[in-house]
């Protein structure tokens, strides 16, 4: 039985993978505008940090249970600032067509390669990075994709 979003631990993890010029963002639980703004601040706070040098971003929304008021605007602002900071490719993993459609609206006017995927393996291939079996991954280990194949 699935838990209500209020029973889930909510967090937004940001992990840099310097070797792949990649920042991975993993959403858990109920995502708020404040969580997105805090993640964006960490991303932009030090241009010499791996997060500040990333050319690619992988945003994993599979464990997100819902989104608070203002989160779409905060996400658009973060994506815009990431692109202004040098990010040229963003991949979103979102199992829900509603989330993918919302993401496409957020992406309107963003001058970067941006794609939405249902499966992590496809997102990694598009970004040109190894599948998570081959990189440190704080979240999914790819088993869901293996079962879906």
């Amino acid at each position: 039985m699935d838990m209500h979003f209020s029973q889930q631990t909510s967090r937004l993890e940001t992990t840099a993978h310097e070797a792949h010029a990649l920042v991975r963002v993993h959403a858990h639980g109920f995502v708020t505008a404040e969580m997105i703004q805090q993640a964006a601040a960490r991303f932009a706070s030090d241009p010499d940090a791996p997060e500040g040098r990333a050319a690619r971003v992988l945003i994993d929304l599979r464990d997100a249970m819902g989104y608070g008021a203002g989160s779409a605007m905060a996400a658009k602002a973060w994506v815009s600032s990431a692109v202004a900071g040098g990010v040229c490719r963003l991949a979103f993993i979102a199992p829900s067509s509603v989330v993918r459609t919302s993401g496409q609206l957020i992406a309107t006017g963003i001058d970067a390669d941006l794609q939405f995927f249902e499966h992590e393996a496809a997102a990694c291939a598009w970004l040109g990075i190894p599948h998570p079996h081959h990189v440190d991954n704080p979240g999914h280990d790819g088993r869901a994709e293996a079962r879906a194949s």
Side-chain angles (χ1 to χ4, degrees):
M1 183 170 136
D2 291 331
M3 288 194 275
H4 187 265
F5 72 83
S6 63
Q7 297 171 295
Q8 298 284 327
T9 301
S10 296
R11 65 188 183 281
L12 200 59
E13 298 171 343
T14 305
T15 309
H17 300 276
E18 271 189 279
H20 304 292
L22 172 77
V23 169
R24 179 184 198 83
V25 179
H26 194 156
H28 300 269
F30 190 75
V31 178
T32 66
E34 182 180 11
M35 291 167 65
I36 296 168
Q37 291 162 346
Q38 289 171 352
R42 284 191 307 271
F43 189 88
S45 64
D46 183 359
D48 293 325
E51 290 89 342
R53 293 191 307 270
R56 299 172 283 200
V57 176
L58 177 62
I59 302 171
D60 189 343
L61 302 173
R62 291 177 291 180
D63 292 329
M65 304 298 289
Y67 304 91
S71 60
M73 296 282 280
K76 185 169 184 79
W78 178 78
V79 168
S80 294
S81 69
V83 169
V87 169
C88 57
R89 224 166 215 222
L90 297 102
F92 289 78
I93 306 169
S96 161
S97 62
V98 172
V99 173
R100 285 192 303 276
T101 300
S102 296
Q104 289 167 346
L105 293 173
I106 289 168
T108 302
I110 301 294
D111 188 24
D113 287 335
L114 196 141
Q115 291 288 326
F116 294 83
F117 300 90
E118 289 186 48
H119 302 289
E120 188 169 15
C124 290
W126 182 77
L127 285 170
I129 61 170
H131 190 270
H133 291 293
H134 306 288
V135 290
D136 176 35
N137 179 4
H140 294 278
D141 61 8
R143 287 180 286 180
E145 280 94 46
R147 285 192 303 270
S149 309

